[in-house]
Amino acid sequence: RKEVEQDPGPFNVPEGATVAFNCTYSNSASQSFFWYRQDCRKEPKLLMSVYSSGNEDGRFTAQLNRASQYISLLIRDSKLSDSATYLCVVRAGSYQLTFGKGTKLSVIP
Amino acid sequence: NAGVTQTPKFQVLKTGQSMTLQCAQDMNHNSMYWYRQDPGMGLRLIYYSASEGTTDKGEVPNGYNVSRLNKREFSLRLESAAPSQTSVYFCASLGVRLSTDTQYFGPGTRLTVL
């Protein structure tokens, strides 16, 4: 079983739609969780951390379920500029982060 | 404040040639990393350096060596390039942003080995 698994997509959604991405992780000792965004041919950048209580940043909501080892990202009112690949990232040790392969989102006019 | 910089941005090598990818960060971060990214494979850790003077293997270290020259610089060397090393290479450093550990990535080096 891969350490961090994501649906690769692509997700093609119209502007204004709500889209949800899911991620599962295998290491129960994982301590920190993140969503990164990667635009085409660019470097990954931190979108948001994921906390046990769930957290929101504008149109973006992240949820963590430690019992199920499951992380989600919800994007409301999708914009064209949200088109990117979204990477689920998990940290178990002090220094190493494990990246999922990413889910590609295309927001269509 | 340039963040993480990488050179070169693009490189084409022939099989068997050697080269060094350079990385520097000006954020005073202790930890630095080298990843490769291939289509359908995601980001895979090659080597990392938890602090100046230390380096450790990641998931895919074979065919690579690294040097943590000082706190700012972390280089990746391919001694004898192979076509399987064609990839996009990202350097990253680990710092704290809004109380969260955050990896800051360089812009990447696109390497083709013929």
Side-chain angles (χ1 to χ4, degrees):
Chain A
R1 181 180 173 186
K2 293 188 175 55
E3 291 192 50
V4 179
E5 291 200 59
Q6 296 181 249
D7 182 339
F11 284 49
N12 299 314
V13 303
E15 270 186 292
T18 295
V19 60
F21 302 136
N22 302 320
C23 169
T24 57
Y25 61 95
S26 60
N27 187 345
S28 59
S30 297
Q31 302 162 329
S32 304
F33 310 89
F34 312 91
W35 284 100
Y36 276 67
R37 171 192 168 128
Q38 186 173 23
D39 293 296
C40 187
R41 301 183 68 78
K42 298 285 190 181
E43 71 271 24
K45 292 183 179 178
L46 178 68
L47 177 67
M48 59 196 301
S49 301
V50 187
Y51 302 115
S52 297
S53 55
N55 48 299
E56 192 173 301
D57 183 1
R59 298 181 292 108
F60 298 83
T61 301
Q63 299 267 349
L64 168 64
N65 185 322
R66 285 188 185 268
S68 302
Q69 295 181 201
Y70 170 91
I71 306 160
S72 66
L73 176 68
L74 185 77
I75 306 175
R76 291 182 299 279
D77 189 23
S78 299
K79 311 289 185 195
L80 294 176
S81 57
D82 294 334
S83 297
T85 296
Y86 291 83
L87 306 172
C88 177
V89 184
V90 171
R91 181 167 70 87
S94 296
Y95 304 108
Q96 291 195 43
L97 281 71
T98 302
F99 287 76
K101 292 181 181 179
T103 299
K104 185 173 181 180
L105 172 66
S106 293
V107 181
I108 304 161
Chain B
N1 194 343
V4 181
T5 56
Q6 290 183 237
T7 56
K9 285 191 167 54
F10 301 93
Q11 184 72 49
V12 178
L13 293 177
K14 294 181 181 177
T15 297
Q17 287 185 315
S18 62
M19 79 161 294
T20 300
L21 281 64
Q22 307 287 354
C23 174
Q25 52 92 8
D26 61 2
M27 297 175 282
N28 202 35
H29 292 163
N30 286 321
S31 303
M32 296 184 73
Y33 304 78
W34 276 106
Y35 293 91
R36 60 178 289 174
Q37 187 174 38
D38 303 292
M41 297 296 292
L43 278 159
R44 291 184 291 170
L45 182 64
I46 305 171
Y47 271 93
Y48 69 100
S49 170
S51 61
E52 187 179 352
T54 69
T55 60
D56 284 286
K57 295 178 180 179
E59 182 185 353
V60 288
N62 292 345
Y64 305 95
N65 285 302
V66 290
S67 295
R68 183 73 183 268
L69 304 168
N70 47 55
K71 192 170 186 179
R72 289 188 65 247
E73 298 172 289
F74 188 37
S75 63
L76 178 72
R77 182 158 178 86
L78 287 70
E79 290 291 353
S80 178
S84 61
Q85 294 177 304
T86 293
S87 188
V88 180
Y89 291 85
F90 288 104
C91 177
S93 66
L94 183 67
V96 176
R97 173 172 165 257
L98 298 177
S99 303
T100 297
D101 288 345
T102 302
Q103 282 210 322
Y104 295 84
F105 286 83
T109 295
R110 284 164 177 74
L111 175 67
T112 301
V113 183
L114 303 175

